[in-house]
Amino acid sequence: MRRLLGDWRSRGPAYDALAQRVRILIREGQLSPDTRVPPERALAEQLGISRTTVTKAYDMLRAEGRLRSARGSGTVIALPEPAADGPETTSPGPAAAEWCRPATDWAADFASDRLPVPDERIGQALGSIAPAVARAFADRSHEPYGLPELRQAVADRYTERGLPTSPAQILITQGVRHSWQLMLRLRARPAQRVLIESPAAPHVMDAIWLHGARPWPVGLGANGWHIELFSAAMHQARPQLALLTPDFQHPTGHVMSSEERHLLVRTALRTGTLLVSDESAVDLRLDDGGLPESLAAHAPDTTVALIDSARAAIGDGVRVGWIRTATSTVHRLAVINSALGTTGSVPDQVVAARLMASADGLLAERRAALRAGRATLTAALRQHLPHWRFAIPRGGTTLWADLGAPVSSALTTAAERHRVHLLSGPRFGTGGTYDSRLRLPFTLDEHSLRNGVRRLALAWEDVMETAWAGAAERPEAIRSPAFT
């Protein structure tokens, strides 16, 4: 619990800050419902604070429905009734009021990198799909593989990229997360290790834990992958499954070189590891210059499976993704998909098939918007938080900032008081790592990006004042702009 709380102190009463940090851990999924929390006295001793402070924090959380106590069984994490999250709910303190803030009231929501849908194009597609949807509902032969015209469109795009593909190699899913869950069901047994990059998107690790497997993270360096470390991990554990993002890795933005891809595949062939390559950002290249060929170009289809979605072109409103792999593997995945009852939405698939024809135009618009967002975010950071370090990614949707000190968790807490929503750095690792890092998406509009960074700088001041209270001098690497 002490490790999860990290640097939880901020301005205001200590009990208020402690309660707020626990709220964030619950929201981020690091404290799950029915998890027992330490007794008040024990936690107070571990944190070096008074028992009264812990008692007040626990009382606030109990009043909100986020803690539940029972005689003889201790105190456990709970989830509040839906009404407790509404804007009309009164709360015992200012931190609780911030927690109850409706999503639309955030000045900037940096916790999400959602891509907006092209409203006009979606409207046009929806206006003409009724006959096609009716036919698809009447003819269910496409289940559980997906609409034939969409599978053909996806296969054609791979072929145009220099990776010859037939529709039989494509399984339509509900998105990249659904695809990853199906791959876990296919190849990972409970308690088995699954190789992943670190840092990684939270949903990658969440899906592994929910499946009952164990994530085996291999760290990335400042310039990307240490292939020798990945190779050593595969030889040591012989994992059945590994997930990588060679193109604009999330959240770092790194791109794997062609030589590194070749070496990685060569190791997978020796160890029998199925490499799952997340290519959902491959179309979000924002700078000039091409990308190395797909990981699948280096190996047979039984060694590499590609997962992707329509998100880059169409946005997050249409839940359509796909898996490209060997035909025999597609059949096995389709059986799992059917058994789970998770075949995709017919209208979504029809819309996606219609819009695939204009994907290049949609992607051009998307890239232009992301370039503008990236420029706005980096300029704002250099103005308001000049001592944060970051590399400008060549593509993707996020920037991975180095704060210079392990205060990401504390900053996440402080930022909510300034109406800025963040995901703390440890959500992208395991074991409490990356508390000196922060993921910042540049998918927001220009005003939200500028206003969000300005407010983030105010939260940074709060954190620094708390961290360096009474110190004669603050280190240059983490000095706030307010003190320079």
Side-chain angles (χ1 to χ4, degrees), residues 325-375:
T325 184
T327 302
S328 58
T329 306
V330 166
H331 290 314
R332 294 167 62 196
L333 288 167
V335 170
I336 297 172
N337 202 23
S338 180
L340 294 174
T342 55
T343 53
S345 158
V346 169
D348 278 9
Q349 292 184 51
V350 173
V351 168
R354 295 291 176 91
L355 292 179
M356 288 291 280
S358 56
D360 291 338
L362 291 169
L363 285 169
E365 296 171 7
R366 180 77 68 198
R367 294 186 189 114
L370 289 175
R371 286 190 198 99
R374 184 182 61 176

Side-chain angles (χ1 to χ4, degrees), residues 96 228 281 385 456:
E228 65 276 12
L385 293 158
L456 195 54

Side-chain angles (χ1 to χ4, degrees), residues 464 467-479 483:
M464 290 300 98
W468 294 95
E473 183 178 355
R474 294 174 174 82
E476 180 69 19
I478 60 172
R479 191 179 299 163
F483 300 112

Side-chain angles (χ1 to χ4, degrees), residues 193-476:
R193 288 174 169 177
V194 177
L195 195 69
I196 61 171
E197 305 153 327
S198 183
H203 76 264
V204 171
M205 293 167 287
D206 292 345
I208 295 172
W209 288 119
L210 287 171
H211 182 63
R214 298 165 56 195
W216 186 334
V218 179
L220 301 183
N223 298 314
W225 295 260
H226 296 297
I227 294 300
E228 65 276 12
L229 295 181
F230 280 86
S231 297
M234 282 194 278
H235 279 295
Q236 179 181 350
R238 302 276 169 165
Q240 291 292 303
L241 194 63
L243 176 68
L244 301 107
T245 312
D247 303 292
F248 311 124
Q249 196 269 346
H250 189 100
T252 65
H254 293 315
V255 176
M256 188 183 293
S257 70
S258 181
E259 181 183 2
E260 289 172 329
R261 298 176 195 227
H262 177 71
L263 292 173
L264 191 66
V265 165
R266 192 168 65 182
T267 301
L269 286 169
R270 289 198 295 265
T271 62
T273 304
L274 175 59
L275 299 178
V276 179
S277 177
D278 182 349
E279 293 194 340
S280 57
V282 72
D283 286 322
L284 297 179
R285 177 173 51 84
L286 306 182
D287 295 337
D288 293 335
L291 291 172
E293 66 278 11
S294 170
L295 203 65
H298 295 268
D301 297 328
T302 52
T303 302
V304 175
L306 307 181
I307 60 177
D308 199 349
S309 74
R311 175 178 185 258
I314 305 176
D316 283 300
V318 178
R319 298 180 61 83
V320 170
W322 51 83
I323 301 173
R324 181 204 180 273
T325 184
T327 302
S328 58
T329 306
V330 166
H331 290 314
R332 294 167 62 196
L333 288 167
V335 170
I336 297 172
N337 202 23
S338 180
L340 294 174
T342 55
T343 53
S345 158
V346 169
D348 278 9
Q349 292 184 51
V350 173
V351 168
R354 295 291 176 91
L355 292 179
M356 288 291 280
S358 56
D360 291 338
L362 291 169
L363 285 169
E365 296 171 7
R366 180 77 68 198
R367 294 186 189 114
L370 289 175
R371 286 190 198 99
R374 184 182 61 176
T376 298
L377 177 61
T378 54
L381 288 172
R382 286 167 175 162
Q383 177 184 357
H384 296 288
L385 293 158
H387 298 291
W388 288 10
R389 298 188 300 273
F390 54 86
I392 300 177
R394 293 169 47 202
T397 61
T398 63
L399 181 150
W400 187 235
D402 183 351
L403 309 182
V407 294
S408 178
S409 299
L411 182 62
T412 301
T413 302
E416 296 210 351
R417 303 184 188 280
H418 295 276
R419 297 174 53 210
V420 175
H421 195 189
L422 301 172
L423 278 184
S424 60
R427 278 296 282 135
F428 297 86
T430 58
T433 55
Y434 301 116
D435 203 31
S436 63
R437 295 283 187 161
L438 189 66
R439 183 203 70 169
L440 293 172
F442 41 84
T443 54
L444 282 65
D445 61 86
E446 181 179 358
H447 172 73
S448 296
L449 288 170
R450 293 188 184 278
N451 189 32
V453 172
R454 182 179 61 81
R455 291 172 177 270
L456 195 54
L458 296 175
W460 178 256
E461 291 180 20
D462 294 348
V463 171
M464 290 300 98
E465 285 193 8
T466 301
W468 294 95
E473 183 178 355
R474 294 174 174 82
E476 180 69 19

